[in-house]
């Protein structure tokens, strides 16, 4: 301990001598005046800014949105004003005494507090808060200590080998810093563009899906190119490397490429889109709930999801029952007793079925047909058109059968049930009397 104190003694004596100089006292006084002035300015400005930045109740639009976003920055007001006042005081002291180290450190420290408050109190996006905590705050802390040039020089000398290539840690830090920010901006732009495109109800669903996929590719492609330019990566060399990699792994990605191209063809032709009810060549049926770059997701009426590669919609037979609201023909079978005047049945049934609110008059009204003469009764069937499928929330055939039952009962027409005659023969072959 004695040896350590002896080594530090010259520095302690230097600090003591400097502390009694006019420059040191001037910086201390200037720092106190700057902090007090900034706090007074904060108390005066905060109520005015809150009043200006508070939009009218229920107000919407760009101006109201801008006011709300600026109001979220109010926690930064006090440290920003202190940093500003200290920066002015630093310039004054440097002009008077030629030094201002204390004020410079105080300014950098207040800027660190601004960044810390911004990350902790202003940012709401989980990705941005994590990004700020692990990238922005450490850089701000190093800057506040005045070590940013030293740390940057040290990181630039640490090389990381990667085969025949190598890069320094400073380049890696820059890549994480700029890459995270650029791709967050890409994701934000993607979300906004998707919300705008999905709101264009005048466009066909297939066109909207194609526009969504095109916007995703364009936004992230531009983000990638910007990142490469910022990092100083030669795009020509990247193209050569990409071509070599493409040749090497192309055979392994044939199916993915095929599904990608098939998805674009489906969106362009509009043969199937979200909301359609389809039946695949293998017998699977379901409603299309999502179309991705690689596959189409079907949801069955029992809640199961079926992931179907896009290529199957191009190379195999697919039955589309919906085609965005087209009508489907269904039929309900029934029988009447042989005692019925069958000439009256068609008019009665057609009138009853037409009362159903979902039964269409076009392309054809309900049509009751005689199908045959059965063992127990006369067989009829009524054909009718609806916009939808008889499954899930829609029970068209069930509803129509209820209407048929009630119509037949109201008109005194009997619905038959099987009759059987049993003969029991005794000894000698004569029937036994029961």
């Amino acid at each position: 301990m004695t040896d350590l104190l002896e080594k530090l003694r010259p520095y302690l004596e230097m600090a003591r001598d400097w502390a009694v100089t006019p420059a040191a006292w001037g910086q201390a006084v200037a720092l106190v005046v700057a902090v007090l002035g900034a706090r007074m300015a904060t108390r005066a400005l905060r109520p005015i800014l809150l009043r200006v930045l508070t939009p009218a109740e229920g107000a919407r639009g760009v101006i109201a949105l801008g006011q709300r976003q600026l109001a979220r920055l109010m926690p930064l007001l006090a440290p920003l004003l202190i940093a500003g006042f200290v920066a002015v005081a630093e310039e004054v002291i440097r002009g008077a005494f030629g030094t201002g180290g204390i004020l410079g450190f105080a300014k950098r420290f207040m800027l660190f507090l601004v960044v810390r408050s911004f990350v902790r109190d202003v940012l709401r996006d989980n990705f941005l808060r994590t990004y700020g905590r692990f990238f922005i705050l450490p850089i701000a802390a190093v800057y506040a200590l005045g070590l940013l040039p030293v740390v940057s020089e040290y990181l630039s000398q640490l090389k990381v080998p990667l085969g025949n290539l190598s890069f320094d840690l400073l380049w890696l830090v820059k890549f994480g810093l700029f890459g995270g920010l650029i791709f967050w901006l890409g994701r934000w732009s993607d979300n906004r563009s998707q919300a705008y495109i999905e709101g264009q109800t005048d466009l066909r669903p297939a066109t909207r899906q194609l526009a969504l996929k095109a916007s995703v590719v364009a936004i992230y492609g531009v983000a990638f190119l910007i990142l490469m330019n910022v990092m100083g990566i030669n795009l020509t060399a990247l193209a050569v490397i990409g071509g070599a990699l493409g040749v090497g792994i192309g055979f392994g990605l044939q199916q993915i490429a095929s599904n990608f191209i098939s998805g674009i063809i489906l969106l362009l032709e509009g043969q199937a889109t979200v909301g359609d009810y389809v039946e695949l060549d293998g017998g699977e049926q379901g409603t299309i709930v999502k179309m991705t770059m690689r596959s189409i997701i079907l949801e069955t009426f029992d809640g199961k999801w079926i992931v179907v590669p896009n290529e199957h919609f191009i190379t195999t037979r697919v039955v589309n029952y919906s085609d965005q609201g087209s009508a489907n023909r269904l039929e309900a079978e029934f029988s009447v007793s042989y005692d019925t005047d069958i000439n009256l049945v068609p008019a009665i049934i057609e009138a009853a079925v037409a009362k159903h609110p979902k039964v269409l008059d076009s392309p054809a009204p309900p049509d009751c047909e005689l199908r045959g003469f059965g063992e127990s009764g006369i067989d009829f069937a009524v054909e009718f058109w609806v916009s939808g499928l008889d499954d899930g929330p829609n029970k068209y055939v069930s509803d129509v059968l209820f209407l048929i039952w009630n119509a037949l009962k109201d008109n005194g027409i009997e619905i038959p049930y099987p009759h059987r005659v049993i003969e029991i023969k005794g000894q000698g072959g004569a029937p036994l009397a029961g």
Side-chain angles (χ1 to χ4, degrees):
M1 178 63 72
T2 304
D3 294 340
L4 179 62
L5 291 176
E6 290 297 328
K7 293 180 179 180
L8 293 177
R9 186 182 301 277
Y11 299 99
L12 295 175
E13 292 178 352
M14 185 183 304
R16 182 192 60 191
D17 295 340
W18 178 82
V20 296
T21 60
W25 283 100
Q27 290 187 70
V29 172
L31 179 61
V32 173
V33 172
V35 171
L36 293 177
R39 292 181 65 85
M40 293 175 60
T42 302
R43 284 196 295 267
L45 289 175
R46 182 182 294 273
I48 299 174
L49 292 177
L50 287 176
R51 186 168 59 253
V52 172
L53 297 177
T54 302
E57 185 176 355
R60 298 182 179 274
V62 178
I63 296 178
L65 178 62
Q67 289 177 314
R68 294 187 180 94
Q69 296 300 323
L70 290 176
R72 290 176 52 195
L73 302 178
M74 289 303 296
L76 310 181
L77 178 62
L80 273 176
L81 286 176
I82 294 176
F85 276 60
V86 171
V88 173
E90 180 187 8
E91 293 298 323
V92 173
I93 295 299
R94 286 188 184 277
F97 299 100
T99 182
I102 294 177
L103 293 173
F105 173 76
K107 177 186 68 177
R108 295 193 301 271
F109 179 74
M110 294 312 301
L111 290 177
F112 168 77
L113 293 183
V114 170
V115 175
R116 177 174 174 270
S117 179
F118 181 77
V119 172
R120 184 187 62 184
D121 302 326
V122 177
L123 295 180
R124 296 179 181 177
D125 185 87
N126 291 330
F127 174 82
L128 281 182
R129 297 187 71 171
T130 304
Y131 172 80
R133 189 179 298 116
F134 290 100
F135 280 96
I136 305 300
L137 279 180
I139 294 174
V142 173
Y143 168 77
L145 295 174
L147 300 176
L148 191 59
V150 177
V151 174
S152 299
E153 180 66 22
Y154 176 75
L155 292 177
S156 65
Q157 296 175 358
L158 294 178
K159 302 293 183 179
V160 178
L162 184 63
N164 295 328
L165 303 176
S166 65
F167 56 89
D168 55 71
L169 289 182
L170 180 62
W171 184 90
L172 186 62
V173 171
K174 289 181 179 179
F175 183 84
L177 183 65
F178 292 110
L181 181 60
I182 290 173
F183 277 92
W184 177 84
L185 289 173
R187 190 188 68 172
W188 181 84
S189 302
D190 180 40
N191 293 336
R192 294 299 179 274
S193 64
Q194 286 191 24
Y196 175 78
I197 293 173
E198 289 175 353
Q200 304 303 308
T201 56
D202 294 338
L203 297 176
R204 294 176 62 250
T207 305
R208 289 202 301 268
Q209 290 293 322
L210 180 61
L212 288 174
K213 299 300 181 288
S215 68
V216 170
V217 174
I219 289 172
Y220 284 103
V222 170
F224 177 76
L225 293 177
I226 292 175
L227 179 60
M228 294 300 101
N229 283 319
V230 169
M231 298 305 301
I233 297 176
N234 190 339
L235 296 180
T236 304
L238 188 65
V240 174
I241 296 174
L245 291 175
V247 173
I249 65 178
F251 290 103
L253 298 178
Q254 287 185 28
Q255 292 299 321
I256 294 178
S258 175
N259 288 320
F260 179 81
I261 300 300
S262 299
I264 295 178
I265 294 174
L266 286 172
L267 293 173
L268 288 173
E269 294 184 350
Q271 295 176 350
T273 188
V274 174
D276 286 356
Y277 186 86
V278 297
E279 179 181 358
L280 305 180
D281 202 25
E284 300 91 347
Q285 299 183 15
T287 302
I288 299 177
V289 295
K290 189 175 182 180
M291 300 179 69
T292 67
M293 303 299 289
R294 187 189 66 85
S295 61
I296 291 178
I297 299 177
L298 307 183
E299 183 178 11
T300 63
F301 284 117
D302 55 1
K304 297 177 182 177
W305 277 26
I306 304 175
V307 180
V308 184
N310 290 329
E311 184 183 11
H312 288 196
F313 277 76
I314 299 296
T315 60
T316 61
R317 183 181 66 90
V318 178
V319 180
N320 191 334
Y321 289 97
S322 299
D323 193 21
Q324 286 302 304
S326 62
N328 295 297
R329 192 185 70 174
L330 304 175
E331 67 175 37
E333 298 179 348
F334 64 97
S335 300
V336 298
S337 170
Y338 275 100
D339 298 330
T340 306
D341 184 357
I342 61 174
N343 298 299
L344 303 177
V345 172
I348 294 173
I349 299 304
E350 291 169 2
V353 175
K355 295 178 181 178
H356 193 287
K358 296 297 182 65
V359 172
L360 305 176
D361 292 330
S362 178
D367 180 27
C368 184
E369 299 177 349
L370 176 64
R371 291 294 176 85
F373 302 98
E375 294 181 359
S376 303
I378 304 173
D379 298 329
F380 284 87
V382 58
E383 298 174 347
F384 57 95
W385 290 81
V386 292
S387 180
L389 298 168
D390 185 49
D391 207 340
N394 302 320
K395 302 297 182 184
Y396 298 125
V397 173
S398 176
D399 293 344
V400 168
L401 287 175
F402 271 105
L403 294 173
I404 293 173
W405 173 276
N406 293 328
L408 295 178
K409 288 295 183 181
D410 292 343
N411 287 272
I413 299 175
E414 180 182 354
I415 298 176
Y417 53 88
H419 293 275
R420 297 291 184 267
V421 177
I422 301 176
E423 293 184 358
I424 302 177
K425 296 182 178 181
Q427 295 179 357
L432 295 177

